[in-house]
Amino acid sequence: RALRNYLDGTDTVSEANKALINMYGHDSQNARASIALNRKASVMRKTKETSISTTLKMDGGSYGVKIDTGVTMLNHFLTEFANAASVSLHIECSGDLYIDEHPTADDVAIAVGHVVDTALGTQAGLSGVWCAQQQESDATKVHVTMDLSNRPCFFHNLSSLHTAEMVGDLSLEMLEHVLESLVVNARITVHIVEVEESSSSGDYLKDLVTVTARALGQAFKYCSMVDQ
């Protein structure tokens, strides 16, 4: 399907594309069939450092997004991901942030990966593979390719993650761990490309977090949708 889209020149990036709306839009047959599967999952994760409650509903987003991890940038990343994916995601986390954000961020990403994997179920009849691109400004563009492969693999060229120490209250090193933990525990394959040149400015880095989350969510939205 992915190769056919490419050979036909189908626009799978712009959500304003008429053909895409007809096939996978909110009122499409595929979207209704996807919601009818009633896919959902909940995970409770408790470690020495964190206590996490996570619920995911693949319901078109009707249950809403409510995320409180104690890390503002992580909340932002996961909110953007869930909204772009058109899923409902609730997360409550209590962690030892008085030390640092590392255990909280990593454990939350693991929990999100687990609920994604559980909610997807057998994956029978799903689109399975998708590419998505998001752009926040002329200088910030990210492309994501995703495969619901059951073979975890994460690759990226997000060189900007090595240009500074922090983005808001989340370390850039930890953002890389968040992406990897989510992908590995969701048992999917993800390839992220930072299209534009890297920058260490605070605005650029926050935009990079935003567009990465949105592209990841958009790719997941179409990968996980029924293709009748």
Side-chain angles (χ1 to χ4, degrees):
R1 292 188 187 99
L3 181 60
R4 184 74 262 169
N5 282 333
Y6 178 76
L7 293 174
D8 291 344
T10 303
D11 178 4
T12 62
V13 174
S14 171
E15 292 197 301
N17 179 269
K18 196 168 184 179
L20 194 65
I21 293 172
N22 289 338
M23 287 185 67
Y24 298 111
H26 180 72
D27 294 323
S28 68
Q29 186 179 9
N30 285 329
R32 292 194 298 270
S34 300
I35 293 174
L37 293 176
N38 194 31
R39 294 171 292 179
K40 57 186 177 181
S42 294
V43 166
M44 298 290 294
R45 178 176 174 83
K46 190 172 182 64
T47 69
K48 292 180 179 179
E49 297 88 8
T50 59
S51 179
I52 303 167
S53 171
T54 308
T55 299
L56 171 70
K57 294 186 178 182
M58 301 177 69
D59 58 357
S62 61
Y63 190 54
V65 178
K66 185 178 179 181
I67 298 173
D68 183 9
T69 67
V71 181
T72 302
M73 190 56 64
L74 182 61
N75 294 346
H76 173 70
F77 175 84
L78 292 171
T79 298
E80 293 290 340
F81 166 77
N83 286 333
S86 293
V87 299
S88 297
L89 182 62
H90 288 194
I91 302 172
E92 290 186 10
C93 175
S94 175
D96 58 357
L97 293 174
Y98 60 90
I99 298 177
D100 60 36
E101 86 283 12
H102 285 213
T104 293
D106 194 31
D107 286 345
V108 167
I110 290 170
V112 173
H114 282 163
V115 293
V116 166
D117 180 40
T118 304
L120 283 173
T122 66
Q123 303 182 21
L126 306 186
S127 181
V129 179
W130 206 264
C131 299
Q133 182 172 288
Q134 289 287 324
Q135 184 170 356
E136 184 71 10
S137 63
D138 291 339
T140 318
K141 185 187 296 182
V142 166
H143 187 93
V144 169
T145 303
M146 181 181 294
D147 180 5
L148 305 184
S149 60
N150 289 320
R151 295 178 297 277
C153 181
F154 174 56
F155 179 82
H156 73 86
N157 76 334
L158 297 170
S159 57
S160 295
L161 297 185
H162 306 291
T163 62
E165 184 177 352
M166 304 288 293
V167 53
D169 57 351
L170 181 66
S171 74
L172 287 169
E173 179 186 18
M174 201 59 229
L175 177 60
E176 188 172 17
H177 284 302
V178 165
L179 290 166
E180 184 173 22
S181 293
L182 196 161
V183 167
V184 168
N185 288 279
R187 298 197 304 148
I188 59 180
T189 296
V190 171
H191 184 185
I192 302 177
V193 175
E194 183 182 359
V195 179
E196 302 297 335
E197 292 184 2
S198 62
S199 170
S200 60
S201 71
D203 288 344
Y204 178 88
L205 292 173
K206 183 175 180 181
D207 287 349
L208 181 65
V209 171
T210 300
V211 297
T212 299
R214 289 176 182 171
L216 196 67
Q218 186 181 6
F220 180 72
K221 173 182 176 179
Y222 293 116
C223 277
S224 62
M225 194 171 286
V226 169
D227 186 343
Q228 296 193 333

